[in-house]
Structures are given as C-alpha cells and as structure tokens.
Amino acid sequence: VQLQASGGGLVHPGGSLRLSCAASGFTLDYRAIGWFRQAPGKEREGISCIANADGSTYYADSVKGRFTISTDNSKNAVYLQMNSLKPEDTAVYYCAMGSFVPCTRYGAGQQYYDYWGQGTQVTVSS
C-alpha cells in the first residue's frame, strides 16, 4: 500500500493549486481518503475527506468553500483543488487512507486512517 502526494508549490495569495494523491496496492472502492496539513509549530489538521463507499465528503471550516476534493477511480487517485489560497494555508499537506464511512463523522480524525503518504509543501506568499 502506497500513497503518493504531489502538486505542492509556491503560489501567490488568491492563487490556486491542485494536489494529487496517487494510490497503489489497493483500490479506492471501499476506502476513504483524507487530506491533512501541518503548519510549522502547529498540530496536524484534518481538512478534507472523501469516501467512495457512500460518497460522503468532509471539509474543515477553514477550507470550506475554497477547497474541493474529488476522486478519479480510473486513475486510482484523489485530488484536492485549492482555490483562493491564503498565507495561512501554508503547510505540509498529507494524504491518508482509511476504511470508514462516513467522512462527515470520521474524516477529520487522524486515528481513523491506516496509511499515510509523504507530505507535499504548499507555500502561499507574495
């Protein structure tokens, strides 16, 4: 089981990035994929989740309305489209896999995820 996060980079405030989480060794059919982030000096925060089994999604208040999570089953990948980025979005972003539903209840909890990918750095700065 592997998760590969990519797509991070440096972007100006108000800009957009799309993060990708490529999964291998398992299919997304009955899995939940979550995105977490950790800023320097802060705890890791669960920001979004999608569960293929029931289609549920979760967004933290801090990203709701700006970020969109989606799945491409043909590519066994999950994406996080991030728009209207702010300096406070600067963090290392991680994707993780769990076997739970719904995301609305469990998506933000790190303890519910079994596998984690490496992080990708997102920096929002002018």
Side-chain angles (χ1 to χ4, degrees):
V1 173
Q2 280 194 324
L3 296 166
Q4 181 79 28
S6 62
L10 173 64
V11 63
H12 293 309
S16 298
L17 280 175
R18 189 178 80 154
L19 303 184
S20 300
C21 180
S24 60
F26 66 96
T27 65
L28 298 176
D29 290 351
Y30 299 101
R31 312 292 186 175
I33 298 293
W35 284 98
F36 291 76
R37 67 185 181 186
Q38 188 166 21
K42 295 189 177 182
E43 294 186 354
R44 189 173 296 187
E45 172 192 19
I47 58 170
S48 189
C49 171
I50 188 166
N52 268 3
D54 68 350
S56 61
T57 58
Y58 162 80
Y59 296 96
D61 288 343
S62 57
V63 306
K64 199 171 293 182
R66 300 187 298 123
F67 291 10
T68 303
I69 193 168
S70 62
T71 299
D72 186 337
N73 289 331
S74 68
K75 296 183 179 180
N76 218 38
V78 172
Y79 304 100
L80 186 68
Q81 178 66 42
M82 307 188 297
N83 298 330
S84 302
L85 283 162
K86 305 174 182 179
E88 50 264 44
D89 294 318
T90 295
V92 178
Y93 284 69
Y94 301 87
C95 61
M97 183 271 282
S99 300
F100 59 80
V101 292
C103 276
T104 46
R105 181 170 182 178
Y106 302 106
Q110 297 182 56
Q111 67 270 32
Y112 300 115
Y113 292 85
D114 304 308
Y115 297 95
W116 292 78
Q118 90 298 348
T120 185
Q121 175 70 46
V122 172
T123 303
V124 184
S125 175
S126 55

